[in-house]
Amino acid sequence: MNNSFDNRSTSICSKKDIKSMTFDELVCEFKKFEIKKYRADQVFSWLSKGVGAFNEMANLPLEMRESFESKYKIISAKIFKRFVSADGTVKFLITLPDGNKIESVLMKYKYGYSVCLSTQIGCKMGCKFCASSSTKFIRNLSPSEIIAQLEIISKSENEKVSNITLMGVGEPFDNYENVIKFIKIVIAQNGMAIGARRISISTCGIINGIKKFADEKLGATLSVSLHASDDHTRNAIMPINRKFNLYKLIDSCRYYMHMTNRRISFEYILLDNINDSENDAKQLANLILGLSAHVNLIPANNIEGSYYFASPIKRIELFARTLIKFGVNVTVRRTLGNDINASCGQLRRIAVQ
Ligand code: SAH
């Protein structure tokens, strides 16, 4: 009895994760077994509709369904807990097939629903103001596990998601290959066909990732978490800056703009007496001078146990006015889901409430 269970679990583990394959990879995979391209098209289309078993793929011959069942697994996730904010934002604690848990958030905007997805279990980056850094890094998420968050959320809420931000737990460019595959899978025309421009990827400044991403020319939007306009301050709050300083970071942003012709969105959290003076604003305007950029000012969300606090509203306004005076495009981000710890930087590996 025990033995047969063991055999079964080994065979499940050794099955290939078919939902992590891009369409081109699926075509190559099937080619090895002399399966025609149109079959890859059919399977890719079923998978993108969220079908969870090969025997539901009605247009495939029975033998083929059985053969796929023995070779491939279809990854899905389950909702463990759901928290609803007074502003309508919903945070989900999601269980992955191996039992690990991650957080994702659904936000309602005028234009539709947007989901904020996690890319790793835990985060290695150590940003001092971010709750995601307070929990241990466990592992990268596979493309299929990032897709599973999207699917389970839209299924649970019965809503079509129009925008995706990769701004949950984790550093997308520290899990580069899987994140790029995720984007390729969801934008594929014969799959979910989500517009690339509706996908935003946010990085703390891993510059080789920014450059590679520029070369991919996927059309997705790039956000850079800047949060300081001088190396001294940035070194203190974002350890990544000691590896890739501001000069290197801005240089990689210039490369991105040159290659893609796209505007960059810089995220800037305002932290009380750390990075929020009028002089910081002038320095910031100067730093991004000549870049086609947009600055998104984020009133800091308070993190339990953190030494950093939100700037007072008057200083946020002065900061924004100073940037505008220097010709910078600015918005102040509306904070959603604060009451359920679902705002930027409040997500962690284990949901707290
Ligand atoms: N690692 C990526 C994506 C995850 S963080 C990155 O750094 O961009 C998503 C966004 O939330 C980033 O802009 C991050 O800096 C911001 N954030 C983190 N902690 C925050 C806090 N306490 N208040 C407001 N925003 C925060």
Side-chain angles (χ1 to χ4, degrees):
M1 181 73 187
N2 261 346
N3 242 349
S4 72
F5 178 76
D6 283 342
N7 286 342
R8 207 192 57 149
S9 59
T10 319
S11 80
I12 288 174
C13 290
S14 56
K15 285 183 184 180
K16 281 192 182 170
D17 173 6
I18 196 166
K19 276 186 100 156
S20 283
M21 294 183 200
T22 62
F23 178 63
D24 289 348
E25 285 173 336
L26 193 62
V27 172
C28 284
E29 168 73 14
F30 282 6
K31 213 170 168 186
K32 285 191 258 169
F33 303 102
E34 292 174 359
I35 299 170
K36 298 238 165 63
K37 191 176 170 187
Y38 79 96
R39 293 293 185 197
D41 230 321
Q42 289 171 326
V43 171
F44 192 76
S45 158
W46 282 115
L47 292 173
S48 70
K49 289 189 183 98
V51 161
F54 291 103
N55 62 17
E56 289 172 43
M57 300 185 180
N59 53 3
L60 302 185
L62 194 61
E63 274 165 44
M64 193 177 270
R65 289 185 235 167
E66 282 167 1
S67 149
F68 288 164
E69 186 62 50
S70 67
K71 287 196 190 80
Y72 307 112
K73 57 185 171 188
I74 302 178
I75 294 291
S76 62
K78 287 198 182 89
I79 293 176
F80 183 72
K81 268 189 185 158
R82 181 177 174 275
F83 307 94
V84 184
S85 161
D87 64 31
T89 300
V90 189
K91 180 170 79 173
F92 301 88
L93 183 58
I94 292 174
T95 312
L96 298 173
D98 69 354
N100 270 301
K101 294 197 170 45
I102 42 165
E103 291 188 325
S104 327
V105 181
L106 179 75
M107 292 154 291
K108 184 160 173 43
Y109 289 100
K110 270 182 263 147
Y111 54 76
Y113 284 90
S114 179
V115 281
C116 178
L117 306 178
S118 292
T119 54
Q120 296 181 312
I121 307 176
C123 184
K124 294 183 222 159
M125 298 300 121
C127 298
K128 297 284 189 288
F129 45 79
C130 182
S132 303
S133 289
S134 67
T135 47
K136 201 173 101 213
F137 174 79
I138 306 267
R139 64 171 176 85
N140 284 330
L141 294 183
S142 62
S144 59
E145 289 171 322
I146 310 176
I147 295 169
Q149 297 169 59
L150 173 67
E151 283 177 349
I152 196 76
I153 291 176
S154 65
K155 198 166 151 198
S156 148
E157 306 306 294
N158 199 16
E159 294 292 353
K160 200 169 153 36
V161 169
S162 55
N163 287 61
I164 298 172
T165 56
L166 296 174
M167 290 191 188
V169 176
E171 164 53 42
F173 287 162
D174 189 38
N175 183 16
Y176 186 87
E177 302 300 333
N178 287 349
V179 164
I180 296 301
K181 274 189 192 178
F182 161 79
I183 298 177
K184 286 184 179 166
I185 294 169
V186 299
I187 65 175
Q189 281 309 315
N190 55 347
M192 286 186 215
I194 296 177
R197 276 167 196 261
R198 295 178 176 274
I199 303 175
S200 296
I201 185 161
S202 181
T203 178
C204 63
I206 297 192
I207 65 160
N208 34 354
I210 296 177
K211 287 183 183 161
K212 269 204 273 180
F213 185 61
D215 294 337
E216 309 268 359
K217 295 213 172 74
L218 288 175
T221 302
L222 180 68
S223 288
V224 173
S225 292
L226 200 54
H227 309 325
S229 53
D230 65 87
D231 281 320
H232 179 73
T233 312
R234 202 163 190 270
N235 284 344
I237 58 176
M238 300 178 73
I240 191 72
N241 200 67
R242 292 184 214 135
K243 187 165 180 194
F244 303 120
N245 65 20
L246 278 171
Y247 177 80
K248 290 181 186 161
L249 176 58
I250 297 300
D251 197 50
S252 71
C253 291
R254 228 172 260 126
Y255 178 78
Y256 173 85
M257 278 184 41
H258 175 73
M259 295 302 288
T260 64
N261 225 353
R262 296 289 305 276
R263 197 161 86 152
I264 293 183
S265 174
F266 287 107
E267 313 290 303
Y268 194 102
I269 304 177
L270 288 151
L271 301 164
D272 192 19
N273 284 325
I274 302 284
N275 63 358
D276 61 350
S277 70
E278 209 177 335
N279 195 46
D280 288 319
K282 285 182 197 158
Q283 215 169 240
L284 173 57
N286 203 29
L287 183 71
I288 61 173
L289 193 74
L291 283 175
S292 161
H294 173 264
V295 173
N296 203 354
L297 295 178
I298 312 176
N301 296 307
N302 288 328
I303 305 299
E304 217 183 284
S306 151
Y307 301 114
Y308 299 99
F309 299 96
S311 305
I313 188 74
K314 284 261 175 292
R315 218 168 313 134
I316 298 179
E317 284 166 4
L318 178 62
F319 200 94
R321 277 203 307 277
T322 311
L323 287 178
I324 291 166
K325 204 164 73 193
F326 284 91
V328 178
N329 274 305
V330 189
T331 46
V332 178
R333 186 185 283 173
R334 194 160 59 103
T335 302
L336 292 174
N338 213 308
D339 54 338
I340 54 162
N341 280 324
S343 308
C344 291
Q346 292 183 315
L347 299 187
R348 47 179 83 212
R349 201 153 54 76
I350 298 178
V352 285
Q353 253 246 288

